[in-house]
Amino acid sequence: MASSSSAAVLARPDAPAHPSAPEDYPWLGPAIRSALLLSEEIVDLDPSGGVDAPTEQVDDALVDIAAIEQALAAEGVAPLAERTLVLAVGSNQTPETIARKYRRSGRDIPVTTPFVRCTVHDLAVGHVASIAAPGYLPAAPYRAEGERMELVATWFDEEQLAVVDETEPNYDRLRLSAEEFPLHLATGQEPAHFDVYASLWGVIAQGDLPIPLRHRQQELFDELVGLTGSSLTRGDAAEVCAALAAAPSALHELVTGHGLVAPDGLPR
């Protein structure tokens, strides 16, 4: 299904979604990839050899949208026109994470879900100013004029979207206009709008500038020690996550008390 190669099977959807360690969030690895989550496998949609340039700078479409539609039809699930496009900023970029969320929901829903790499403008990724239940600080988008990022967008059907919504208690799902946040998909499309999960708590910031996403919690915890002098996030990240999970409000109180929270600047 990739535009210049035969499809490659990446993994089974029932494979572990990520290491069980919250300190390793966001568990991304080589996350910026296009893929199709199917009932029996995860299929690579990227060209053979990978992609060396930002999605919007590639002359030809990287992903064949007709092949995606054919796969959806073959699985007997909703076409793209009946799905909601959601831009992911954290672990939701990976099919493994989404497959895990479907399984944990206990609902009998179709799992087939397309994931496509994309370029988005004027948006960046930082951290929610509060913890997720396991004790890590999850990712959150924020307005960042002049920034350009490579992320992954996902098409969810109605049932799938309801499941994912339920797994995001720290967020509001917002609809953003491409007039404000231009988006170019690997399919060659430039949709008029897309959804994002935006933090209910603001984002961690130094002054008015959000702190960009750190790819290991240890980096962020050490940074917060330097900014606050507090022992709350001092030490081994696994131990810090466990302590934060046992005191769910402590991190938000710490960053709020030290003026380390800023609004994400997204329209509500």
Side-chain angles (χ1 to χ4, degrees):
M1 294 171 198
S3 58
S4 62
S5 71
S6 60
V9 176
L10 296 175
R12 288 183 56 82
D14 57 357
H18 55 73
S20 59
E23 66 271 17
D24 291 333
Y25 176 88
W27 313 297
L28 291 178
I32 305 304
R33 74 178 196 252
S34 299
L36 185 61
L37 171 62
L38 300 173
S39 56
E40 297 297 330
E41 61 191 14
I42 298 170
V43 178
D44 188 8
L45 298 181
D46 276 339
S48 177
V51 181
D52 296 327
T55 302
E56 67 178 3
Q57 294 181 3
V58 179
D59 291 336
D60 298 323
L62 296 167
V63 174
D64 184 350
I65 192 168
I68 292 178
E69 293 282 24
Q70 290 169 8
L72 297 177
E75 296 254 322
V77 297
L80 295 181
E82 297 176 11
R83 292 171 176 261
T84 298
L85 185 67
V86 181
L87 184 68
V89 299
S91 62
N92 282 357
Q93 294 183 80
T94 68
E96 294 86 353
T97 291
I98 297 302
R100 171 180 56 87
K101 291 186 174 187
Y102 294 160
R103 292 196 306 271
R104 287 188 174 180
S105 74
R107 299 184 188 179
D108 183 18
I109 65 171
V111 303
T112 305
T113 312
F115 296 73
V116 292
R117 61 170 65 235
C118 59
T119 303
V120 64
H121 288 262
D122 300 324
L123 200 71
V125 183
H127 291 273
V128 175
S130 186
I131 64 162
Y136 62 82
L137 279 75
Y142 61 90
R143 183 189 294 271
E145 300 292 339
E147 289 287 331
R148 179 183 71 186
M149 295 201 74
E150 291 292 292
L151 294 170
V152 172
T154 307
W155 274 289
F156 295 115
D157 70 20
E158 186 175 343
E159 292 179 294
Q160 293 166 345
L161 190 59
V163 166
V164 178
D165 281 350
E166 290 176 0
T167 69
E168 303 295 350
N170 285 306
Y171 302 86
D172 277 328
R173 180 162 51 85
L174 307 178
R175 179 147 296 180
L176 301 184
S177 166
E179 291 184 1
E180 286 190 82
F181 305 95
L183 182 70
H184 184 97
L185 300 176
T187 57
Q189 298 166 290
E190 296 181 347
H193 56 76
F194 56 93
D195 288 6
V196 295
Y197 288 102
S199 171
L200 292 169
W201 302 88
V203 292
I204 295 178
Q206 188 172 6
D208 294 329
L209 298 176
I211 295 174
L213 181 70
R214 306 308 188 204
H215 288 280
R216 288 291 182 271
Q217 293 287 295
Q218 189 72 64
E219 298 174 52
L220 182 61
F221 291 157
D222 292 345
E223 200 164 353
L224 289 175
V225 171
L227 291 171
T228 67
S230 171
S231 62
L232 183 67
T233 62
R234 181 178 287 119
D236 177 75
E239 296 176 359
V240 172
C241 286
L244 293 177
S249 64
L251 189 285
H252 182 67
E253 292 170 359
L254 175 68
V255 294
T256 301
H258 284 81
L260 299 177
V261 181
D264 58 28
L266 301 178
R268 285 169 166 77

